[in-house]
Amino acid sequence: MGKRSRQRQKNNQSCTIIFQGWGAGYADIVKENKLFEHYYKEQGLVPEGEFDEFMEAMREPLPATIRITGYKRYPDEQAWHTNMSRKIIRKSPLLEKFHQFLVSETESGNISRQEAVSMIPPLLLKIEPHHKILDMCAAPGSKTAQLIEMLHADMEVPFPEGFVIANDVDNKRCYLLVHQAKRLNSPCIMVVNHDASCIPTLQINSDGKKDILFYDRILCDVPCSGDGTMRKNIDVWKKWTTSNSLHLHGLQLRIAVRGVEQLAVGGRMVYSTCSLNPIEDEAVIAALLEKSEGALELADSSADLPGLKWMPGVTSWKLMTKEGQWYSDWSEVPTSRHTQIRPTMFPPKDEQKLASMHLERCMRILPHHQNTGGFFVAVLVKKAPMPWNKRYPKDVSSSAAAQTGGPPAAADVACLPEGSVEEEGERGGTEAKGDEDVEEQAPKGASAAQEAGAKQDGVCGPPSKKMRLFGYKEDPFVFLTEDDPVFTTIQSFYNLSPDFPKLNVLTRTHEGKKRHLYMVSKELRNVLLNNSERMKVINTGVKVWSRNSDGEEFGCAFRLAQEGIYTLQPYIRSRMITVSVEDIKVLLTQENPFLSKLEDDAHAQAKNMGMGSIVLKYIPNPNNPAEPQCPIQLCGWRGKTSIRAFVPRNERFHYLRMLGVEVFRDKQGLGLKPRDGAKDAEEEGAADNEVEVDFENGDENTSSEPKTDNSKHEMS
């Protein structure tokens, strides 16, 4: 046997031993819950003869899956799964390089480590770039990221007409949501902090008149008991009980009802849970359809995701208390249980009405069918205004509200018809959805989430004028005027095109010097300006410029920010240097290379350009397929004798990988450097590779200010 063959065999043996070792670690955790098995056997959700296989799959670790950030759909080979769990990938020495790749590419926004079934709801929404989208219970944000990607299907359009408003009741989780969304550098995302069951009705200005904002698409991925996540959330095994679903049903229904109220006629809402329980699934959908009196219908999505294996929704189910008592009908429930068990938890008794609902169009994904987590999803289409909006109209300031049946602008109607759903002390609940592979961390010092929209008696009314806001007090969003002095130098220095949308630029301070400038789309600007007293905005827009005092003497006090370069670059007509692949390698692996390190063309351009902030632009050459075939735009700084790229660490790694440069570093800090004699690109802002979500940099670009490369501070 040759040396290479022996080494390969040795590696395979090592790999087997390591994986066996980690597999044994899972065996220490008892994955047994007799009540769970008894409950689901009785419900009959698993096909006959498959229950043992179902339970066996539930006890196996969930395989790691990744989704490639892109503007094609998931079935087009944009999502991949391994046969290894996240724990194996994170801990195995043999997979250290792969794990570093995953962490780095996730942080730079190029991939999302997201559970396979979690990718389904956004796909079924059928997003178009002009859609106005509400994500009601959005944290930690992998689905939100999908929605943003779909809006930007055309990379040539910096400001799509549509937008995503991503909401979460938990203030702390909102910052995780911000972190996730900011990886995609979109001007079309807004993160808000509200109780989804009473999320406020927003206004917009339409042709000079106030109008109601109705959403074309709504994602209603509600808090749930999460028993479909047992393969990765091991605690669910010991915590699972039937009372979880009974406690959550009312909240889930209230959120769903509030969603369809804000949905435009003709719009689609996807309701989803990572629970297999009919009480949280079909019971909520059936109650919603019954209350809608024909205004809603379940869409047939059977052909939308070919290749996906799923079980049709069921039309019969029963309830069980944690003590093991079964109930098949509301009439059987003793009065003493009426506070925990509600009529909406049972299937409709009218067989004809039940058949007309087409609950079989709901989709339940079972873990053993395609080696996934468990999941439930239903697609609803709004055919007409909700009946209670027509029955109880109030002062309507817009005819559109009457036509669409939406809540009026002057005073919202109640979220539900009177007596429809009783409160159960669950308003504002923050049960973990558990369907996404994101570490749930928050900025240091963040306060614990409060019960937003505190417990109330009776039906859900509109938020009071003085909203109770918890968590961080956010800085204001202040839009710049067209004649703001800050534009004077920016306009001339970067030679902005006449169609640059100045009114879309905002800052986060009323007083003092503006530190960062952000941009939002025209439509989100409309929302912000008309609803400042109605909603708590956590974050919006993409940073495009940052103040740099050293740059003032060169003509502009604001340098370009890498995260906003793809939004801003179409409007910039100067300060641009066209670079080659070799130039990019130099710029991303050396801290302050001399101008002479660039190839002749870029060197000549740089020599003719004054000092200050610049755009470094790579244009692909279709005649050289060995080179990257996508445009690359980097922010940089032209110094006196040198040039520098200002690109966050993980984004540097991404571009270097594209160019075939090794960026791996082992645990001891040893390993290949990107380029002989070059400064290791990883040294700048280096972080522990085991930290999968890092909030240390907050709102700042991970690269430092260009303080080392100008006429006062020259490093050569």
Side-chain angles (χ1 to χ4, degrees):
M1 181 184 294
K3 183 177 179 180
R4 287 189 178 179
S5 298
R6 287 196 299 271
Q7 183 62 44
R8 189 180 299 114
Q9 185 182 53
K10 183 178 179 181
N11 289 344
N12 289 340
Q13 289 172 346
S14 300
C15 187
T16 301
I17 291 169
I18 289 168
F19 290 174
Q20 285 176 345
W22 284 115
Y26 282 102
D28 298 334
I29 301 167
V30 178
K31 297 181 180 179
E32 294 288 343
N33 189 311
K34 296 299 182 185
L35 186 66
F36 174 86
E37 292 191 44
H38 175 58
Y39 181 81
Y40 279 109
K41 273 185 180 177
E42 285 291 319
Q43 292 287 19
L45 302 179
V46 180
E48 190 173 350
E50 295 183 15
F51 196 82
D52 289 344
E53 188 182 355
F54 163 75
M55 289 303 302
E56 186 178 336
M58 292 290 273
R59 294 186 178 97
E60 288 293 317
L62 188 69
T65 51
I66 62 170
R67 181 174 53 78
I68 299 168
T69 300
Y71 307 105
K72 294 183 178 179
R73 303 299 192 255
Y74 164 30
D76 297 329
E77 299 187 350
Q78 294 296 303
W80 298 78
H81 80 93
T82 73
N83 289 321
M84 300 169 288
S85 69
R86 294 177 66 208
K87 186 174 182 179
I88 288 174
I89 292 173
R90 189 165 57 244
K91 298 296 185 182
S92 168
L94 292 179
L95 299 172
E96 182 182 347
K97 186 174 181 179
F98 180 50
H99 181 244
Q100 283 190 25
F101 165 80
L102 292 178
V103 171
S104 176
E105 293 296 327
T106 298
E107 280 300 284
S108 62
N110 296 304
I111 65 171
S112 292
R113 283 177 288 168
Q114 180 182 3
E115 186 176 341
V117 290
S118 169
M119 304 175 194
I120 295 171
L123 298 172
L124 294 177
L125 278 172
K126 299 184 177 180
I127 301 295
E128 299 292 339
H130 63 277
H131 283 154
K132 299 173 177 62
I133 307 163
L134 173 64
D135 190 348
M136 300 189 75
C137 308
S142 290
K143 296 184 187 71
T144 309
Q146 276 183 275
L147 300 175
I148 297 170
E149 290 170 35
M150 292 174 182
L151 279 183
H152 290 275
D154 185 351
M155 281 288 287
E156 299 300 315
V157 180
F159 293 100
E161 289 183 30
F163 57 76
V164 177
I165 294 179
N167 173 72
D168 204 85
V169 67
D170 189 320
N171 183 264
K172 186 169 63 174
R173 283 164 60 93
C174 280
Y175 291 94
L176 177 66
L177 182 56
V178 169
H179 179 82
Q180 280 283 84
K182 286 179 76 172
R183 297 181 308 125
L184 298 178
N185 302 328
S186 170
C188 303
I189 172 69
M190 179 189 293
V191 175
V192 299
N193 179 200
H194 291 281
D195 173 3
S197 65
C198 279
I199 192 166
T201 300
L202 302 183
Q203 296 181 353
I204 53 175
N205 194 315
S206 178
D207 297 325
K209 298 179 181 178
K210 292 284 186 182
D211 212 340
I212 304 301
L213 172 59
F214 290 103
Y215 300 95
D216 302 297
R217 298 290 187 266
I218 293 180
L219 177 55
C220 186
D221 187 51
V222 295
C224 66
S225 61
D227 58 23
T229 71
M230 283 179 162
R231 299 186 65 177
K232 67 173 184 177
N233 294 332
I234 310 301
D235 286 348
V236 178
W237 282 96
K238 62 182 179 183
K239 293 180 179 179
W240 189 90
T241 175
T242 55
S243 60
N244 294 344
S245 59
L246 302 182
H247 291 155
L248 286 164
H249 171 88
L251 173 65
Q252 292 162 338
L253 182 53
R254 287 194 298 275
I255 293 174
V257 169
R258 190 58 179 149
V260 296
E261 284 183 334
Q262 301 217 8
L263 186 65
V265 172
R268 292 166 74 91
M269 184 177 91
V270 168
Y271 175 90
S272 61
T273 76
C274 48
S275 168
L276 300 174
N277 201 322
I279 311 305
E280 303 175 63
D281 298 340
E282 284 92 346
V284 173
I285 296 299
L288 190 59
L289 290 170
E290 188 162 13
K291 293 176 191 303
S292 79
E293 299 178 7
L296 299 172
E297 76 171 21
L298 270 171
D300 183 354
S301 301
S302 57
D304 290 343
L305 291 176
L308 177 68
K309 295 180 181 178
W310 51 278
M311 297 297 297
V314 295
T315 56
S316 65
W317 59 88
K318 49 189 178 179
L319 275 64
M320 185 175 73
T321 65
K322 62 181 179 180
E323 296 82 17
Q325 176 67 47
W326 287 96
Y327 299 108
S328 298
D329 187 83
W330 169 247
S331 62
E332 302 172 4
V333 181
T335 306
S336 60
R337 295 276 188 183
H338 282 189
T339 55
Q340 294 89 34
I341 301 175
R342 304 300 304 140
T344 53
M345 297 177 183
F346 295 92
K349 297 180 71 173
D350 186 322
E351 292 294 329
Q352 188 174 355
K353 181 185 292 184
L354 183 61
S356 68
M357 290 180 177
H358 295 290
L359 293 180
E360 72 278 359
R361 293 177 179 173
C362 298
M363 307 167 79
R364 179 174 280 103
I365 291 93
L366 299 178
H368 65 292
H369 284 166
Q370 286 181 300
N371 197 17
T372 65
F375 208 70
F376 175 88
V377 62
V379 182
L380 294 152
V381 176
K382 188 170 181 178
K383 295 296 198 180
M386 304 312 294
W388 54 91
N389 291 120
K390 291 187 291 186
R391 281 194 206 114
Y392 311 117
K394 296 198 177 180
D395 296 332
V396 180
S397 60
S398 168
S399 60
Q403 292 167 5
T404 57
D412 293 345
V413 295
C415 291
L416 294 179
E418 186 175 356
S420 59
V421 179
E422 281 72 15
E423 297 292 329
E424 298 165 8
E426 293 295 326
R427 181 177 303 284
T430 56
E431 291 288 325
K433 291 183 285 185
D435 60 322
E436 303 186 9
D437 293 346
V438 181
E439 300 292 334
E440 295 183 14
Q441 301 179 19
K444 292 181 180 178
S447 62
Q450 307 291 328
E451 290 187 11
K455 299 173 184 176
Q456 306 172 14
D457 294 324
V459 298
C460 169
S464 60
K465 290 184 180 179
K466 291 187 177 180
M467 293 184 296
R468 294 179 61 196
L469 303 179
F470 302 98
Y472 286 131
K473 182 180 179 181
E474 293 297 325
D475 292 330
F477 292 86
V478 184
F479 282 95
L480 275 60
T481 59
E482 282 195 89
D483 58 354
D484 192 296
V486 78
F487 282 128
T488 305
T489 55
I490 289 178
Q491 179 80 47
S492 59
F493 190 74
Y494 296 102
N495 190 16
L496 298 179
S497 60
D499 60 339
F500 175 71
K502 291 181 180 179
L503 293 178
N504 294 17
V505 178
L506 60 86
T507 185
R508 299 296 298 270
T509 179
H510 278 297
E511 301 174 355
K513 286 188 174 181
K514 300 173 178 65
R515 193 170 166 216
H516 302 294
L517 300 180
Y518 305 84
M519 290 192 76
V520 296
S521 64
K522 177 184 176 182
E523 288 72 17
L524 271 188
R525 179 182 185 274
N526 192 345
V527 174
L528 274 168
L529 289 176
N530 286 285
N531 299 280
S532 59
E533 300 300 319
R534 291 172 173 262
M535 60 181 181
K536 181 183 178 185
V537 180
I538 301 296
N539 197 278
T540 191
V542 60
K543 183 165 63 177
V544 288
W545 281 292
S546 290
R547 179 174 289 278
N548 169 43
S549 299
D550 288 336
E552 199 158 358
E553 64 181 286
F554 308 128
C556 186
F558 286 89
R559 70 171 177 87
L560 298 164
Q562 179 65 29
E563 49 262 63
I565 192 61
Y566 287 95
T567 298
L568 198 58
Q569 189 275 325
Y571 303 101
I572 296 176
R573 299 187 296 182
S574 69
R575 309 296 303 169
M576 200 170 307
I577 297 176
T578 304
V579 293
S580 67
V581 166
E582 291 304 314
D583 292 329
I584 296 176
K585 289 180 182 178
V586 169
L587 290 162
L588 295 183
T589 59
Q590 299 184 30
E591 187 68 16
N592 274 321
F594 287 114
L595 298 179
S596 58
K597 291 288 188 78
L598 300 177
E599 293 190 333
D600 292 345
D601 187 26
H603 185 201
Q605 295 174 64
K607 283 177 65 177
N608 292 327
M609 189 170 291
M611 296 170 65
S613 186
I614 55 174
V615 179
L616 300 156
K617 186 172 183 177
Y618 164 77
I619 301 172
N621 180 3
N623 297 321
N624 190 351
E627 294 183 347
Q629 292 299 299
C630 60
I632 297 174
Q633 297 169 18
L634 310 176
C635 289
W637 186 267
R638 162 55 160 107
K640 186 176 181 181
T641 59
S642 60
I643 194 164
R644 184 178 183 182
F646 278 88
V647 181
R649 180 179 63 104
N650 288 310
E651 202 164 335
R652 285 181 176 235
F653 290 176
H654 169 70
Y655 290 127
L656 288 170
R657 288 189 187 101
M658 285 175 60
L659 304 178
V661 178
E662 176 64 74
V663 294
F664 171 66
R665 188 181 221 181
D666 64 24
K667 296 288 185 184
Q668 288 72 41
L670 305 175
L672 296 176
K673 289 187 179 292
R675 189 176 174 94
D676 291 341
K679 181 179 179 68
D680 188 349
E682 195 170 5
E683 289 180 16
E684 184 177 319
D688 181 359
N689 283 322
E690 289 302 301
V691 179
E692 297 186 6
V693 175
D694 174 19
F695 284 92
E696 291 300 316
N697 294 309
D699 190 42
E700 301 298 324
N701 188 311
T702 52
S703 298
S704 59
E705 290 287 339
K707 58 183 179 295
T708 61
D709 194 4
N710 54 48
S711 62
K712 289 184 178 180
H713 309 88
E714 182 63 33
M715 290 183 63
S716 58

